[in-house]
Amino acid sequence: MHYEYAIEGGNFSKAGLASSEVKKKLRQLNVDNQVVKRVVVALYEAEVNIVAHAYNGTMNVEIDEEKILLVLQDSGPGIPDIEKAMEEGYSTASPEVREMGFGAGMGLSNIKKNVDHLDISSEIGKGTRVEMITYINRGR
Amino acid sequence: MRDPDFHHALKIVRELCIGCTHCMNICPTEAIRVKNGKAVLIDNRCVDCGFCYRVCPVNAIIVEQDDFDRIFEYKVRVALVPAVMTGQFADNITTRQIHSELMELGFTHVYEVEQGVEVLYETMKEYLENRKETKPLISSFCPAIVRLIQVKFPALVDNLIHLKPPLDVSALDFRRQLAEQGYDNNETGIFYITPCAAKIAAVKSPVGEKNSPITGVINMNFIFNKVFTRIKQRKGNSCIIPETRNLTGRAIMWSLTNGESTHTGGRSLAVDEIHNVINFLEQLENEEMKDIDFLELRACDESCAGGVLTTANRFFTVERLKKLAARAGDGVTGNKKDNNMIERAKTRLKKQIPIQPVRPRSMLKLDEDMAEALRKMKRVEEIGKCLPDVDCAACGSPSCQSFAEDIVQGYAKLNQCVFVQRIFEKKGILSSEESFSIMKEVWGSDKLDKNC
Ligand SMILES: Nc1ncnc2c1ncn2[C@@H]1O[C@H](COP(=O)(O)OP(=O)(O)O)[C@@H](O)[C@H]1O
Ligand code: SF4
Ligand SMILES: [Mg+2]
């Protein structure tokens, strides 16, 4: 199954909608609860990062019996130092964004913790691509 | 997979049902369909919240209760009454008066459910402390919420607090007290006066415990009418004086919104009304809300004051109980005898208060087998493309999405959709006579045998 969702930069009231849709699909597919939980947390963080840090983007979801592949591609400022961005607590979020309860700097590290494979590539001034894979039957 | 012993207190009376779809449209778990002009309940989706009961215009949905005369099968007949019962009456009618009328009706003992709160309170504090790392811990007070989490939020079952609600704690405690006083346990019937269908379901098929200490359940509106009539006729001169133990303010408020959350410490939140709860839990599952320690979730607006079997306006009920609570004050009553009783109950019941972990029973999955579920999902999506997305419910399902799922699961046929019928008719693959008879299958003949 393949799904694509558009993500609007700066629109915090809509942040999380695409993740919720994907969660519903995974539940319908009877994917293990713990796997759903992990995928949804990672997806949500990645979605919010586009809303908070980029201009706009897309979320592509590919589900088969083995794995869930998630690709989030945005056009935005890009990440100059990915390694640094991955550090817990590192954030460039504006005070306004923090005011809204986002921007604790835990997003990327949280993603890393929750998926089996993570690949981030970024081009300054152009955008960022986050690819995540979660295997469905691992550890079961 | 279906729970074999899953009891529902809500029943649809076929003869009365006019198939109006009010219930189907309000049901928070999409547990109702219309077939042959009658609403039908899908057992393993229903959480007994009772919203259907509220909206039915012809009273075709009933809450099944035990026959009142069943109480007379017991020598010791205990009425277990929640504080919201007092809240059904105006300020000038006292709790004592209400209880004494209950005894006139045939009960030998009247106890308040919330007596169990003080016993539970300490156990709960300890429990919250021990499970601090689980965030948030979710109260298991409201049985409709426990079931909602089982069927719709299976990933959250481990967040539920595995402790009995005050009702069960009280029932156990009173059973013990009566036994100590020399009464035979087999001759003791404990009857709960319930404000809702969910509590009945919980008594008849408990989640996380083997059997309930409660013998039977009687609907609050039924008892209210009886008591109110008597009080009016008697003009306030009742004869029997029941023994009472005063409730603390905390106990009086426990079943109302914020009743638990104000005492749990940490970051505690209360959400009431089941549709609100669903929205909230959707967000919670995404971990959009972090660092909440405790969640009090109740199916009814204004919690038990808004139970489907209550009679009084819920806001007046809350007002009255608030006044009573303010007068009672918090903490234990100060009465030495009461305090001793609570202390004793705590030690005795310690082992009985915990319940077993709650199992998920997801209603969302299209199939146990993921490969099959994937195939079904593809079908659902193909069908979805043919449907108009107007959620008119003329097919007998609450939404186009649920209709598509019903088709794939074999519960409905595509040509039940009135829009699809028009498309098929235009294509010449369905005659208008055929459409007509399909609609009769969904809606019964009454609605279609009209002279227009
Ligand atoms: N899609 C993105 N586009 C641009 N910058 C990003 C993006 N995602 C993350 N970043 C950068 O990485 C930092 C750390 O991200 P994260 O760990 O999610 O923390 P937070 O979003 O709370 O700041 C962000 O503050 C931001 O500078
Ligand atoms: S909030 Fe109270 S009255 Fe309403 S369903 Fe839950 S327990 Fe019953
Ligand atoms: Mg982030």
Side-chain angles (χ1 to χ4, degrees), chain B residues 130-405:
Chain B
N130 288 338
R131 283 193 67 193
K132 254 203 329 235
E133 73 295 348
T134 311
K135 278 184 200 221
L137 285 165
I138 301 175
S139 165
S140 49
F141 174 93
C142 174
I145 295 299
V146 172
R147 279 158 202 235
L148 176 75
I149 288 176
Q150 284 183 290
V151 301
K152 213 173 153 74
F153 300 95
L156 293 174
V157 287
D158 295 332
N159 294 62
L160 281 165
I161 291 175
H162 301 147
L163 296 177
K164 291 192 172 90
L167 171 60
D168 300 53
V169 175
S170 295
L172 285 169
D173 190 22
F174 295 135
R175 268 199 189 282
R176 181 189 56 78
Q177 283 181 37
L178 289 163
E180 273 175 10
Q181 289 167 30
Y183 294 109
D184 183 350
N185 201 8
N186 292 320
E187 290 183 322
T188 303
I190 298 188
F191 292 84
Y192 172 52
I193 314 293
T194 184
C196 65
K199 288 278 190 194
I200 303 180
V203 168
K204 304 287 176 187
S205 55
V207 176
E209 36 179 334
K210 272 221 186 71
N211 14 53
S212 167
I214 295 148
T215 315
V217 189
I218 297 162
N219 294 350
M220 188 176 285
N221 50 4
F222 172 86
I223 289 287
F224 171 84
N225 288 337
K226 280 191 178 277
V227 170
F228 190 61
T229 314
R230 292 184 77 96
I231 290 177
K232 275 197 131 173
Q233 285 164 352
R234 205 188 291 278
K235 299 183 186 70
N237 302 312
S238 46
C239 318
I240 312 175
I241 297 172
E243 53 167 311
T244 45
R245 195 169 92 195
N246 288 333
L247 292 177
T248 60
R250 170 165 59 211
I252 294 171
M253 297 300 288
W254 198 259
S255 71
L256 303 183
T257 304
N258 283 313
E260 294 172 274
S261 68
T262 37
H263 300 289
T264 40
R267 186 172 174 213
S268 294
L269 277 183
V271 182
D272 60 7
E273 208 274 348
I274 196 162
H275 298 85
N276 294 337
V277 170
I278 290 172
N279 285 336
F280 189 88
L281 292 180
E282 288 281 352
Q283 281 191 300
L284 183 82
E285 269 198 327
N286 296 0
E287 291 207 2
E288 287 173 50
M289 291 171 278
K290 299 184 177 92
D291 301 324
I292 300 173
D293 297 298
F294 176 86
L295 271 183
E296 170 198 307
L297 307 174
R298 307 280 177 83
C300 301
D301 187 37
E302 296 295 327
S303 295
C304 300
V308 293
L309 299 173
T310 57
T311 308
N313 179 297
R314 59 189 182 279
F315 301 104
F316 288 140
T317 304
V318 173
E319 183 196 32
R320 167 136 209 219
L321 294 186
K322 267 189 185 157
K323 276 191 226 160
L324 288 175
R327 219 176 306 147
D330 251 346
V332 187
T333 54
N335 177 327
K336 223 179 179 162
K337 203 172 126 234
D338 289 355
N339 292 356
N340 285 343
M341 212 132 83
I342 292 166
E343 276 315 314
R344 241 181 355 184
K346 268 183 217 159
T347 25
R348 298 268 173 100
L349 294 176
K350 218 177 171 104
K351 284 215 181 72
Q352 283 171 285
I353 293 179
I355 57 167
Q356 296 300 308
V358 175
R359 273 186 320 115
R361 314 186 285 111
S362 173
M363 63 172 205
L364 305 164
K365 56 184 173 227
L366 290 169
D367 206 283
E368 285 289 331
D369 174 51
M370 189 178 170
E372 187 54 28
L374 271 166
R375 271 190 290 278
K376 285 185 177 171
M377 185 178 274
K378 280 200 181 109
R379 280 280 294 142
V380 169
E381 270 157 36
E382 277 158 27
I383 293 166
K385 284 182 197 141
C386 300
L387 302 178
D389 274 334
V390 293
D391 294 341
C392 68
C395 55
S397 300
S399 63
C400 294
Q401 172 69 29
S402 61
F403 177 54
E405 288 169 24

